[in-house]
Amino acid sequence: MDALVGDYADAVVIPDETLEREFAARVDEASRLAFSVAMGVVHNRADAEDVAQEALIRAYRNFKRLREPAAFRGWLVRIAWRLAIDHRRSAGRREQRELESFDPPAGPDVEQLAAAREFGERLWRAVDELPEKLRMVVVLGGIEGYDHGEVAALLRLPEGTVRSRLFAARKKLVEKLRETLPDRLTGTLT
Amino acid sequence: MTCKHVTNRLNDLALAALDGPRRVEVEAHVAGCPACRAALDRERRLAAAIDREVAAHLAAEPSQEFAARLRLRLAQEPAPETASSSWASGLLRWPGGWTRGVALALAASMAIGAVWLARRRSSASPQPPLPSAARATPTPCCSGGVPTAETGAAPRAARAAVRTTARNTVSASARAAVRTPPLQQEALAEVIPQVIVDPHQQEDIARLYYAIQANRVDLVSFMAVPPGFKRQADGSLAAAPLEIEPAPDAARDTWSGEAEPAREMK
């Protein structure tokens, strides 16, 4: 055994453990963030998991290149966002996503469920048509626990810019839905 | 202010983006105009529904399998930016696929060899008893289903115990070099196959197996046949049988080593 382990010891490439531990400490929160960002783009849990996983793997591979550890989350958000956009462009996945997404929460009223589902579909279609800058702010601002300041830090933007972009995005969404939302759906809004 | 002027401002008012004198003017008009009040109410409900739907959609949680899959993927990744500089290991990684089979075969044969060696040693010389912590099987240690830094007390204690008691099996330099990254430590229990291993060598075998599987071992260095092993036809290593030389006939029946004089036949 000594002879075997002696050869083994010479052959192993020792990783940078500090990097490993730093990354491990961030993985918990980061995986949740990456999943939410992906969900805001692909709108499907399975696809979002694929995207989030790939984003985290890429982040892990390139973690050493990151000069500012504080910028990790913003960096991960960009990776996840780009991967999600690419993922969505796949025609096959898009068809699958449209079939599977927007499952409304279970409830007693079938009509209400159908209305909620249709509203969700129309809303996210409108979100997807927004310019990317506005879209990203809508998604990040919609994640629980991410206020204007957090979103500004993630995107490295002034907080005022985030606020104005979020307002512009919501205004566009309201206008779009006001024009396209059928009266039967409007009546279901509470 | 007419309804036409107010309609353009209702959206801003609903999104709380109107302030100052304009807000006062619009609110004054809305207070006295049922149509504009209804329109403002509709805008507010729409804005609230948008916020609710966005938040609900993004509040979806990843599945339980996601954490496990991610943990395994991260564990299988080579350490960041530390690709082996060895040309031989680079060659072995290309084109990929077959190296994994070789690695697994090597790991299996080494595990068998380790068991054989351990039995041979334990039968030759008794070893001091191992603390109970050292016999503990490494278990995945993570919080919330997502990998974190090393937190398991039992595996840590086991490693510490092995370090102090099993010096006769693994050299200190080798142990230092076989550091397993924290993310990979957690996946060991899921990755390693179920093989019977001497408790003293359990951790070392697991580390070795994982390092080979993760392509972090230069397999060329394993190609030399170590002492006590024999290369088989399929290329794998197997423990060589003990070869015992027979004693000379003359000394066979003597305990003192002196040859007994031959008896004369009468």
Side-chain angles (χ1 to χ4, degrees):
Chain A
M1 188 69 186
D2 283 340
L4 285 176
V5 176
D7 289 343
Y8 172 41
D10 294 335
V12 170
V13 177
I14 303 171
D16 188 333
E17 282 201 12
T18 309
L19 274 180
E20 294 268 352
R21 288 185 193 286
E22 275 185 25
F23 190 85
R26 293 159 196 266
V27 150
D28 201 354
E29 185 202 354
S31 58
R32 182 73 184 78
L33 177 62
F35 175 78
S36 295
V37 168
M39 193 69 184
V41 177
V42 299
H43 312 309
N44 175 279
R45 190 189 300 265
D47 288 351
E49 286 183 2
D50 289 347
V51 169
Q53 178 173 294
E54 191 58 35
L56 285 157
I57 294 294
R58 291 195 186 190
Y60 176 72
R61 284 178 191 155
N62 298 295
F63 191 61
K64 201 172 183 178
R65 292 182 193 165
L66 189 65
R67 290 178 187 171
E68 296 176 51
F72 174 72
R73 289 187 307 158
W75 182 58
L76 179 68
V77 162
R78 285 190 185 83
I79 295 175
W81 184 271
R82 294 301 348 149
L83 284 173
I85 297 285
D86 292 345
H87 194 90
R88 242 195 100 189
R89 285 184 182 140
S90 161
R93 287 184 184 128
R94 192 178 304 132
E95 286 173 11
Q96 192 184 359
R97 185 186 65 249
E98 286 174 0
L99 287 174
E100 290 180 4
S101 61
F102 305 115
D103 289 331
D109 192 336
V110 178
E111 283 184 12
Q112 254 185 345
L113 290 180
R117 184 188 176 97
E118 190 176 344
F119 178 76
E121 286 176 357
R122 285 173 182 272
L123 169 62
W124 284 104
R125 206 169 294 144
V127 171
D128 292 344
E129 288 170 2
L130 288 174
E132 190 166 339
K133 286 192 292 188
L134 302 186
R135 205 166 140 201
M136 196 177 259
V137 169
V138 168
V139 170
L140 293 178
I143 299 174
E144 189 182 357
Y146 284 79
D147 57 13
H148 294 163
E150 284 281 335
V151 176
L154 283 179
L155 299 178
R156 293 189 162 196
L157 290 172
E159 200 172 326
T161 305
V162 170
R163 205 181 296 274
S164 64
R165 283 187 186 177
L166 193 56
F167 168 70
R170 290 175 78 209
K171 187 169 183 173
K172 280 179 185 287
L173 290 175
V174 169
E175 285 171 356
K176 182 94 177 171
L177 290 175
R178 188 203 305 141
E179 291 165 8
T180 59
L181 209 61
D183 288 339
R184 60 185 168 78
L185 285 185
T186 311
T188 62
L189 300 177
T190 54
Chain B
M1 185 172 267
T2 63
C3 291
K4 187 180 176 184
H5 290 108
V6 169
T7 304
N8 295 331
R9 305 282 181 196
L10 286 179
N11 194 346
D12 294 346
L13 186 62
L15 296 173
L18 202 62
D19 47 16
R22 283 185 179 172
R23 181 185 176 115
V24 175
E25 285 176 12
V26 173
E27 283 180 338
H29 175 86
V30 167
C33 176
C36 287
R37 200 162 52 241
L40 177 62
D41 183 51
R42 186 173 184 268
E43 295 279 304
R44 279 183 171 150
R45 280 190 289 131
L46 193 52
I50 288 171
D51 291 345
R52 256 199 323 272
E53 167 60 29
V54 169
H57 189 66
L58 298 175
E61 294 280 342
S63 65
Q64 293 292 324
E65 293 77 23
F66 171 70
R69 279 206 314 271
L70 176 64
R71 194 164 62 230
L72 196 58
R73 268 292 298 277
L74 286 172
Q76 288 172 338
E77 279 289 311
E81 297 282 296
T82 52
S84 172
S85 57
S86 161
W87 67 270
S89 62
L91 189 66
L92 281 170
R93 285 199 187 115
W94 186 85
W98 70 272
T99 53
R100 178 154 295 221
V102 171
L104 292 176
L106 269 172
S109 58
M110 288 170 64
I112 293 166
V115 172
W116 178 79
L117 279 174
R119 285 186 179 166
R120 193 174 155 198
R121 282 188 181 170
S122 60
S123 63
S125 60
Q127 291 190 351
L130 199 65
S132 60
R135 299 189 190 100
T137 305
T139 53
C141 44
C142 53
S143 64
V146 180
T148 59
E150 178 181 6
T151 55
R156 198 161 47 236
R159 277 192 287 277
V162 170
R163 236 171 247 126
T164 55
T165 56
R167 284 180 188 147
N168 57 338
T169 54
V170 181
S171 68
S173 63
R175 192 176 295 284
V178 189
R179 290 197 302 269
T180 311
L183 284 169
Q184 297 169 354
Q185 286 172 3
E186 295 163 11
L188 278 179
E190 295 179 9
V191 175
I192 60 173
Q194 297 297 312
V195 292
I196 300 170
V197 180
D198 185 272
H200 297 83
Q201 294 165 326
Q202 185 177 12
E203 187 191 12
D204 298 302
I205 295 297
R207 286 179 174 185
L208 177 56
Y209 175 87
Y210 180 74
I212 292 173
Q213 200 189 37
N215 283 336
R216 289 170 48 224
V217 176
D218 185 356
L219 295 177
V220 170
S221 63
F222 281 105
M223 293 307 163
V225 180
F229 283 80
K230 195 175 177 183
R231 171 97 51 213
Q232 290 187 319
D234 62 354
S236 62
L237 296 177
L242 284 175
E243 292 178 5
I244 303 170
E245 292 181 8
D249 286 345
R252 190 178 299 164
D253 296 328
T254 60
W255 63 270
S256 62
E258 293 177 4
E260 188 177 350
R263 294 177 184 174
E264 291 182 5
M265 296 291 289
K266 290 184 179 177

